Amino acid sequence: MENVKRILCYGDSNTWGTIAEAEETDAPSRRYPQDVRWPGVMAKALGDGFLVIEDGLEGRTTIYPSDDTPLTRGDIHLRDSLLQNRPVDLVLLKLGVNDLKQIFHPNREHLSDGMQRLIDIVRSCSDCGRNGMPPEILLVAEAPILKPIGRQLFYESRGRENGCTLSREFAKDYRMLAEKNACYFADAGIVGENDPADGLHLSRESHSKVGKYLAAIVSNICSKSEV
């Protein structure tokens, strides 16, 4: 059996590495290079003995469908990603801000419902880990949405200030969810923040900070468990 710890990063545009744009545009998003994106930074910080696998998709939600982007529903594709990349020792679930789109009617009392569904999927996938066990789970709360100084599209589609307010609640809710489900938890908003150009996507500097922060947590998880 290989000794490399396989870490799956399952997330949205901030895992994919979207570069914030201040101007409104219909052009395809630009992406930070691999060594700039937080999973790449994390992989470098972890060093030998770890394989970090990126699965980031723009617009990905936890459980909510969208007519214009039907392939972005996270619960439908999570099991496929786990099976494709198995064995997975640890999966980082870093989603939430796309659940705040007004078309999904976000509700303060149900912010963590989607993440609970993803946890259940991972826990049911014993074939995805090692020795007949599912992988360990690290829930990651994303950096809160900011009111942008540039592009307004993302801010408006998430209810403006209401979306910002709700996004600040993910850390508390995900921490409670992690405790309830015996998962690990990290708050990316402690060290990183979004670029004010669009208020939704991590700045270049924050990718570095988040990657190093998560590397320390992942290393600690792997050192004290059988992961």
Side-chain angles (χ1 to χ4, degrees):
M1 181 181 296
E2 63 179 315
N3 294 321
V4 172
K5 306 301 182 185
R6 297 172 61 86
I7 315 299
L8 175 63
C9 303
Y10 193 74
D12 52 26
S13 55
N14 274 316
T15 297
W16 186 79
T18 298
I19 299 175
E21 303 280 1
E23 302 296 328
E24 300 291 353
T25 176
D26 293 327
S29 300
R30 295 185 301 134
R31 187 184 195 187
Y32 283 116
Q34 184 176 15
D35 63 343
V36 174
R37 301 192 295 268
W38 71 260
V41 174
M42 184 175 75
K44 182 177 180 180
L46 287 170
D48 295 339
F50 293 86
L51 175 63
V52 175
I53 304 161
E54 294 183 11
D55 188 340
L57 181 64
E58 290 187 307
R60 179 177 277 157
T61 67
T62 54
I63 59 175
Y64 301 103
S66 177
D67 290 340
D68 60 338
T69 53
L71 299 179
T72 57
R73 185 169 158 178
D75 59 333
I76 291 178
H77 301 285
L78 176 56
R79 185 176 177 85
D80 288 344
S81 183
L82 290 164
L83 289 170
Q84 179 182 353
N85 294 294
R86 68 184 177 93
V88 175
D89 295 291
L90 175 67
V91 56
L92 279 66
L93 299 176
K94 188 174 180 292
L95 290 165
V97 295
N98 290 318
D99 293 0
L100 300 180
K101 291 181 180 179
Q102 293 301 287
I103 58 172
F104 303 138
H105 307 290
N107 185 304
R108 174 66 188 88
E109 302 304 315
H110 298 281
L111 280 184
S112 62
D113 288 1
M115 189 61 83
Q116 179 65 66
R117 172 61 181 149
L118 299 188
I119 292 171
D120 292 342
I121 290 171
V122 176
R123 289 279 164 78
S124 70
C125 194
S126 58
D127 292 343
C128 303
R130 299 184 192 271
N131 303 315
M133 298 292 292
E136 295 282 0
I137 301 170
L138 172 60
L139 303 186
V140 183
E142 301 188 74
I145 299 171
L146 301 178
K147 182 178 181 180
I149 61 175
R151 192 178 190 184
Q152 300 291 309
L153 176 64
F154 305 123
Y155 178 64
E156 293 176 354
S157 67
R158 289 160 181 78
R160 304 175 67 83
E161 184 55 37
N162 183 58
C164 295
T165 300
L166 287 175
S167 72
R168 291 192 288 270
E169 299 295 330
F170 277 121
K172 180 173 68 176
D173 287 6
Y174 284 6
R175 184 186 296 275
M176 293 174 60
L177 196 66
E179 292 175 356
K180 173 185 174 183
N181 291 274
C183 300
Y184 297 97
F185 170 77
D187 181 4
I190 291 176
V191 297
E193 62 180 7
N194 293 326
D195 191 321
D198 68 11
L200 190 73
H201 295 108
L202 289 172
S203 65
R204 185 186 187 101
E205 180 182 33
S206 288
H207 269 279
S208 178
K209 291 179 178 178
V210 169
K212 293 174 182 177
Y213 165 69
L214 292 177
I217 293 174
V218 169
S219 179
N220 185 54
I221 292 171
C222 293
S223 67
K224 70 180 183 181
S225 71
E226 295 181 358
V227 169

